[in-house]
Amino acid sequence: MLVLGLETSCDETGVALYDSEHGLLGDALFSQIDLHRVYGGVVPELASRDHVKRMLPLIRQVLEQAQRKPEDIDAVAYTAGPGLVGALLVGASCAQALAFAWGIPALGVHHMEGHLLAPMLEDQPPAFPFVALLVSGGHTQLVRVDGIGHYQLLGESLDDAAGEAFDKTAKLMGLRYPGGPEIARLAQDGTPGRFKFPRPMTDRPGLEFSFSGLKTFTLNTWQQCQAEGDNSEQTRSDIALAFQDAVVDTLTIKCRRALKQTGLNNLVIAGGVSANKALRQSLEKMLGELNGEVFYARPAFCTDNGAMIAYAGCQRLLAGQQEDLGIKVQARWPMEQLPAI
């Protein structure tokens, strides 16, 4: 089965072609970072308009890259949620229009399920069951995964997601958007141990997260340094390192707890923050101590992309899942509501 995947949940337009027998045949992505950077964050209306502008040229690009024609495509998969409603509607409208014109089915895919299954695109994919850490700008969740659609939420953030905390903290410190890569870049030059930040909610049992207080702690530290006349680049780097270490340690501690609670020793990390090198190194060290293994997608597939949507859609279509012709998107969509296959 050859599936065209469309991703438009936020500020990146992703298109890919996935073949159930031959794997990923083509992939293209256009990021709107430069468009939104001047505003310090994503402007939903601008995001939607740019998706409209980019979608068809990217589809043509992927078809040419894969040396396929529209009549070769068996189905279209698109991100139906969660995400920005206007942006989701662009992908859903395009997918349903193409499906209607080509006489093939279209299927809405859960954005976070796409992230969760992205490591399956690698040469050595994880085997079920495993614990997944979904960590992005909008979500921080620990999930037990026994199969596609067999999800048990173990814990999630009570306020800011980890990626959101990275972006907001960077903005408070005067760094440019997106903040996650900027914090990571500065942290490379930070002085270990100069600042000690708290590890939120690690002093109590459970698998919930909270990063809003850490964000405030970082702001107070930065403002105190400025009040003392120290606003040097080195101090900014030292604070960035302390913040990143706090987030990484918190995520690692909670992942260790989740693995112990479930009795599993394989961990999947997915979502934009999973590209953070410090987080990968910390989790790899922890899994090595547990004689387990950590899996993640290549950096290009950690952020939003069409390949993960094409793959997830293909698996559900092969299992017989179908939907009626119609444009349906959901800004909020708990993953536990997905049907098992």
Side-chain angles (χ1 to χ4, degrees):
M1 176 179 283
L2 183 62
V3 179
L4 176 68
L6 308 180
E7 156 61 23
T8 63
S9 65
C10 189
D11 62 339
E12 289 169 317
T13 312
V15 177
L17 270 176
Y18 180 82
D19 187 280
S20 57
E21 295 183 4
H22 302 99
L24 187 64
L25 302 182
D27 173 61
L29 182 74
F30 183 86
S31 175
Q32 301 175 7
I33 287 177
D34 291 339
L35 174 65
H36 299 287
R37 178 171 283 150
V38 65
Y39 302 101
V42 177
V43 181
E45 175 65 18
L46 295 180
S48 302
R49 290 178 180 271
D50 204 66
H51 285 312
V52 174
K53 180 180 178 181
R54 307 293 176 182
M55 182 59 71
L56 291 181
L58 285 177
I59 292 175
R60 296 190 187 100
Q61 178 182 333
V62 168
L63 285 171
E64 182 177 349
Q65 177 185 352
Q67 298 183 339
R68 295 292 190 276
K69 299 178 180 180
E71 51 265 33
D72 298 326
I73 299 174
D74 298 307
V76 183
Y78 64 94
T79 303
L84 301 175
V85 170
L88 292 169
L89 284 171
V90 175
S93 301
C94 183
Q96 291 289 5
L98 291 175
F100 180 77
W102 295 340
I104 57 177
L107 183 68
V109 172
H110 193 288
H111 178 73
M112 295 310 295
E113 181 173 69
H115 275 305
L116 187 153
L117 297 178
M120 299 294 183
L121 292 164
E122 303 304 319
D123 293 335
Q124 295 182 321
F128 301 113
F130 54 78
V131 171
L133 171 65
L134 303 178
V135 57
S136 66
H139 299 82
T140 299
Q141 298 177 326
L142 280 166
V143 182
R144 178 184 172 122
V145 181
D146 290 295
I148 298 178
H150 296 267
Y151 307 132
Q152 178 189 356
L153 180 64
L154 303 174
E156 61 184 340
S157 179
L158 303 177
D159 41 58
D160 290 351
E164 183 182 6
F166 266 102
D167 287 340
K168 289 182 177 179
T169 297
K171 188 174 183 179
L172 293 173
M173 294 175 61
L175 302 177
R176 66 177 189 170
Y177 173 85
E182 290 297 302
I183 292 285
R185 177 185 62 82
L186 281 176
Q188 292 178 347
D189 298 321
T191 304
R194 179 182 173 188
F195 297 103
K196 181 67 175 179
F197 284 14
R199 276 54 176 164
M201 297 187 72
T202 58
D203 58 348
R204 67 188 75 177
L207 297 174
E208 306 296 338
F209 301 91
S210 173
F211 294 107
S212 63
L214 182 60
K215 175 187 63 183
T216 304
F217 190 95
T218 307
L219 174 62
N220 291 339
T221 303
W222 174 237
Q223 290 179 335
Q224 182 179 348
C225 290
Q226 289 180 307
E228 295 171 354
D230 182 3
N231 60 353
S232 66
E233 190 69 8
Q234 184 59 54
T235 293
R236 200 191 300 259
S237 294
D238 295 344
I239 292 175
L241 176 61
F243 171 81
Q244 178 176 266
D245 284 349
V247 174
V248 168
D249 286 352
T250 299
L251 294 172
T252 302
I253 290 169
K254 293 302 179 86
C255 285
R256 182 187 288 270
R257 288 184 186 176
L259 291 167
K260 182 178 180 180
Q261 177 177 310
T262 58
L264 301 175
N265 61 355
N266 283 340
L267 177 72
V268 165
I269 56 171
V273 182
S274 68
N276 184 280
K277 293 181 179 179
L279 177 60
R280 290 191 177 197
Q281 291 170 357
S282 178
L283 291 175
E284 287 171 357
K285 179 181 178 181
M286 185 264 288
L287 266 296
E289 295 170 354
L290 299 178
N291 294 318
E293 192 170 356
V294 59
F295 299 86
Y296 39 74
R298 69 196 75 169
F301 292 164
C302 289
T303 54
D304 296 349
N305 62 88
M308 66 182 192
I309 301 303
Y311 177 84
C314 183
Q315 304 312 305
R316 289 192 169 276
L317 287 160
L318 287 172
Q321 185 173 334
Q322 298 181 352
E323 67 181 21
D324 298 331
L325 186 66
I327 300 172
K328 304 172 185 177
V329 298
Q330 300 184 60
R332 297 182 182 276
W333 188 5
M335 201 163 62
E336 311 90 89
Q337 294 180 358
L338 294 175
I341 65 172

